[in-house]
Amino acid sequence: MKVWQGKRFSVLVEDGIEIAESPGAAAIVAVDGADRVVLVRQVRPAAGGELLELPAGLIDEDEVPLVTAQRELREETGLRGGTWRELASFWTSPGFVRHRLTLFAAEDLEEGAPEPDEHEQLDVVRWPLDEVEARLDEIDDAKTLAGLLLYLRMRGA
Amino acid sequence: MKVWQGKRFSVLVEDGIEIAESPGAAAIVAVDGADRVVLVRQVRPAAGGELLELPAGLIDEDEVPLVTAQRELREETGLRGGTWRELASFWTSPGFVRHRLTLFAAEDLEEGAPEPDEHEQLDVVRWPLDEVEARLDEIDDAKTLAGLLLYLRMRGA
């Protein structure tokens, strides 16, 4: 039974259990031609301030996560093309949130102009890959921490 | 403005932004005397089935996360005592959820009887630490993936 409907998520009660439901999301560990990881810094009202995160976005209706990921990376950073692979997928807060996130790694990307959504204000930040390990304590977001750790492990770094 | 209030979380609208708010949680990478990581398997309605996760629980009012973590580990697995350190803390879904999770590592633990909550049904599973790396693709939960990766990195494994 749906007990509340918002623009970004809804609240269901199933067998007495309360669940916040969203369409799910995709996020990208994107590495540019200079071996830098591309992050975005933006205000996140739910987190009470600015947060440094992987590029990411909500899945549009009937979209497969890879298409979401490629669209969001292009919009937020301008990066396009390249070689993509899936790193992992997981529930972000399975105690009360029905929200599944799929993580991709993208390499050999081409530079281009960002195409930001008019509602989005974000700064693109690039970290040399060999600095990521030492800067993990600057990360305050679950998907970003998991994605960077998985990517470093995949690269054998 | 609060627009919905449940037992486990509430929904706020702040400056037109919808936020699901919970009290936050603590989770534990617990390693027993035989160098096995202790996980719990339970039905998670939000995830549509069973999930294998780190022991974890919601923070009770005014509780510091370490106290939550020690209480939940004892209730869910019986493990107590030991040496504790904080591994990380992060937002789990900062796009629309105000829910912060603090991750701990606990070692040199003593065995004891679990004290399960009457509403909780869970199985305790133990993975030898040297198998964790190869079994990460069995993990479908953000905090568990991040916690195991951080712990392996800390141990130099």
Side-chain angles (χ1 to χ4, degrees), chain B residues 24-27 54 56-57 59 88-92 99-103 143:
Chain B
L54 298 177
I59 291 174
S89 70
F90 45 74
W91 302 97
T92 58
H99 180 64
R100 195 169 173 85
L101 188 130
T102 305
L103 264 179
K143 67 178 173 302

Side-chain angles (χ1 to χ4, degrees), chain B residues 4-83:
Chain B
W4 184 80
Q5 173 69 57
K7 285 173 287 182
R8 303 200 56 183
F9 66 96
S10 54
V11 178
L12 314 176
V13 178
E14 294 178 358
D15 298 327
I17 309 287
E18 304 164 351
I19 298 168
E21 183 176 62
S22 106
I28 311 100
V29 183
V31 179
D32 71 10
D35 239 12
R36 296 177 302 182
V37 174
V38 181
L39 301 169
V40 295
R41 190 189 302 279
Q42 63 187 313
V43 173
R44 288 295 212 175
E50 277 193 341
L51 217 54
L52 192 60
E53 295 169 79
L54 298 177
L58 290 179
I59 291 174
D60 282 345
E61 202 177 350
D62 294 331
E63 203 173 42
V64 297
L66 177 61
V67 170
T68 305
Q70 292 179 333
R71 177 174 51 73
E72 290 286 345
L73 184 66
R74 184 178 180 125
E75 288 174 4
E76 295 188 353
T77 72
L79 291 163
R80 57 199 72 195
T83 306

Side-chain angles (χ1 to χ4, degrees), chain A residues 60-123:
Chain A
D60 282 345
E61 203 177 350
D62 294 332
E63 204 174 42
V64 297
L66 177 61
V67 170
T68 306
Q70 293 179 333
R71 177 174 51 72
E72 290 285 345
L73 184 66
R74 184 176 180 126
E75 288 174 3
E76 295 188 352
T77 71
L79 291 162
R80 58 199 71 195
T83 307
W84 290 69
R85 74 189 91 177
E86 189 175 319
L87 277 180
S89 70
F90 45 73
W91 302 98
T92 58
S93 290
F96 67 105
V97 184
R98 184 170 290 158
H99 180 64
R100 195 169 173 84
L101 188 130
T102 306
L103 264 179
F104 295 91
E107 298 171 312
D108 306 317
L109 294 155
E110 295 160 39
E111 300 287 336
E115 300 156 6
D117 187 295
E118 58 181 296
H119 305 295
E120 261 177 339
Q121 287 205 325
L122 48 82
D123 295 322

Side-chain angles (χ1 to χ4, degrees), chain A residues 29-39 79 85 105-111 125-133 135 148 151-152 154-157:
Chain A
V29 182
V31 179
D32 71 11
D35 238 11
R36 293 176 304 181
V37 174
V38 181
L39 301 169
L79 291 162
R85 74 189 91 177
E107 298 171 312
D108 306 317
L109 294 155
E110 295 160 39
E111 300 287 336
V125 175
R126 303 191 186 207
W127 283 3
L129 197 58
D130 60 11
E131 292 180 12
V132 171
E133 174 89 17
R135 299 183 72 171
L148 293 175
Y151 184 78
L152 289 177
M154 187 184 82
R155 287 276 295 241

